[in-house]
Amino acid sequence: MTDLAPPPPGHNRPPPDESLWADFAPAVAAFADGAARWTAAAPIEAEEDAAGIADFLAGGRKLLKEIDAARKEAKRPHDEAARAVQAAFAKPLDLLDRAVAQARGLLESYLAAKQARLDAERAEAIGAAERAVEEAQARLAAASSSGHVLDAFDAQHALDDAEAALKALRPEPRARVGSATGGGRAVALRTLRDVRITNLSLAFTAVRDDPAVVEAVTDAIRRRVRAAGWDGRPIPGTEITERETL
Amino acid sequence: MRRPTPESDLLRWHAAALRDGRLPRHEDEPQPGWYRLRRVRGGPWVPVLIGCRQETDPETGELVAPETLYAVVAGEEVDPATIWTHCQPISRAAWLALIETCRAIPAMAAPDRPLDLARTPILPRSPR
């Protein structure tokens, strides 16, 4: 019998299991309430209140660490199970990676040679087609100057055909190999570009506006000025700010 | 005939210790003053008073008995020698504030147990 009713919302994504941290629930509620009460008591002006909120902060951080430790412990069996699955699949994946890499290498060699042949054939064909166009142009010129209408008509058609043939050779053919069985798809080489830096300053100038570059430079400078051994000297192009934090 | 030791003399070490936290102390020589200590590791601060009992003749003002030190720890009198090495000198004002804190924060009512700030969040005292 088929149940035609749609499954309830969230059936494939159950809510988080709050029983995992049930032991911490009272303390968590107390801190949430405490934060609201401290906020209501703001601003902090008396030394005794500052000392009190320092203790609240210490307690909150301690509870955070305890809950995070519990989280890691609860997650540990799942992490171990995931690692076991990864370990179990490592051998077939590695073997297949190697087998595919070997086969790919063989096919790449074949396709590279085929592409070279195609390029050579194309170059030869273009040369022949250009010569055919030149000859057709010469015939047309001769026929036009001789006044023979039929010859000029034939020469014009020959020129049109020669130019069309030359145009057809312009797109560069890509070497492809089809499936032997029909079960796979055709493959062809693709051009993959890579980069090697030869002049860091010039290369940086080319990409300096890239948000990823800005973030990487900011991170590198931030690490430098936060390092214990930083000499305090300004870094050109930057503004170093300081703020007090707990 | 002996005159009672003046308060300023009694509190000389304590005053010096407040100025210099590294002032050395002799383990068997408790000094009068205001202090705090923890009864257990991780426990709350407990106010301590080390005083000097001076029994004097009401007419002559001279001592009628040797001066003896006493200690009051969280309202209970104890032998100062048993707690001296655990005492941290604090000002009288800080001692009074600590007494008030102990009254105001319920978590500090159990000085013999470690204070778990993660289970007993400290809340503002004065309602606003």
Side-chain angles (χ1 to χ4, degrees):
Chain A
M1 185 166 136
T2 306
D3 181 3
L4 298 179
H11 73 285
N12 61 343
R13 199 174 170 194
D17 182 4
E18 297 197 352
S19 70
L20 291 173
W21 53 277
D23 288 346
F24 295 104
V28 171
F31 269 90
D33 175 68
R37 291 171 70 171
W38 277 111
T39 303
I44 306 300
E45 289 171 335
E47 182 75 13
E48 62 188 28
D49 285 339
I53 203 170
D55 275 351
F56 178 84
L57 193 59
R61 282 175 171 161
K62 182 168 180 275
L63 184 61
L64 189 71
K65 275 188 183 172
E66 290 178 14
I67 294 176
D68 203 46
R71 175 191 65 82
K72 285 175 183 167
E73 186 57 29
K75 193 165 160 272
R76 193 164 54 86
H78 303 280
D79 288 338
E80 287 171 358
R83 275 195 290 274
V85 167
Q86 292 294 101
F89 277 90
K91 182 175 178 182
L93 286 172
D94 185 46
L95 287 173
L96 260 301
D97 271 344
R98 290 171 196 239
V100 165
Q102 274 175 227
R104 187 165 69 202
L106 296 173
L107 188 54
E108 281 176 350
S109 297
Y110 174 80
L111 280 169
K114 183 174 179 180
Q115 184 68 54
R117 282 197 308 277
L118 287 175
D119 290 343
E121 289 167 6
R122 177 171 170 271
E124 191 178 334
I126 286 177
E130 286 174 343
R131 285 193 296 278
V133 166
E134 287 171 6
E135 287 169 10
Q137 286 169 338
R139 268 184 61 197
L140 179 61
S144 298
S145 63
S146 71
H148 284 112
V149 174
L150 186 58
D151 287 349
F153 180 83
D154 288 343
Q156 181 63 58
H157 275 276
L159 177 59
D160 291 343
D161 290 344
E163 285 177 341
L166 179 60
K167 189 177 176 185
L169 290 171
R170 288 302 174 202
E172 296 182 25
R174 298 293 293 169
R176 293 163 62 86
V177 170
S179 163
T181 61
R185 50 191 179 88
V187 292
L189 290 175
R190 61 186 176 91
T191 303
L192 182 65
R193 297 192 184 93
D194 204 347
V195 170
R196 182 179 66 85
I197 305 293
T198 57
N199 183 315
L200 184 58
S201 297
L202 293 177
F204 174 76
T205 302
V207 296
R208 65 184 181 180
D209 292 329
D210 188 313
V213 171
V214 174
E215 188 174 343
V217 170
T218 304
D219 282 348
I221 294 177
R222 186 180 289 130
R223 280 195 298 275
R224 175 173 294 190
V225 302
R226 287 182 180 176
W230 182 52
D231 56 13
R233 284 195 288 184
I235 297 174
T238 69
E239 178 193 6
I240 312 296
T241 61
E242 293 181 353
R243 64 181 175 92
E244 301 301 309
T245 182
L246 290 170
Chain B
M1 303 299 172
R2 280 186 58 228
R3 307 292 300 175
T5 306
E7 185 176 276
S8 56
D9 286 358
L10 289 172
L11 294 174
R12 179 166 293 119
W13 185 93
H14 180 268
L18 284 182
R19 289 190 300 270
D20 180 2
R22 292 171 300 175
L23 188 70
R25 69 173 72 188
H26 298 289
E27 284 186 3
D28 52 359
E29 291 183 16
Q31 299 293 324
W34 302 274
Y35 302 89
R36 66 183 185 185
L37 60 70
R38 288 195 181 94
R39 279 212 165 124
V40 294
R41 186 187 179 90
W45 290 119
V46 174
V48 176
L49 170 71
I50 297 181
C52 181
R53 202 161 270 131
Q54 298 170 316
E55 291 183 46
T56 57
D57 184 311
E59 288 185 11
T60 66
E62 289 176 348
L63 290 168
V64 299
E67 294 176 320
T68 55
L69 293 181
Y70 65 94
V72 180
V73 180
E76 182 186 327
E77 187 166 332
V78 302
D79 179 359
T82 61
I83 47 105
W84 169 237
T85 55
H86 303 289
C87 291
Q88 281 187 20
I90 58 176
S91 67
R92 185 170 179 273
W95 178 81
L96 288 169
L98 181 55
I99 290 174
E100 182 53 37
T101 299
C102 289
R103 281 197 201 114
I105 297 180
M108 296 184 74
D112 296 319
R113 287 207 303 265
L115 182 56
D116 187 355
L117 294 175
R119 292 294 179 276
T120 51
I122 305 303
L123 301 174
R125 278 187 253 174
S126 40
R128 310 250 173 122

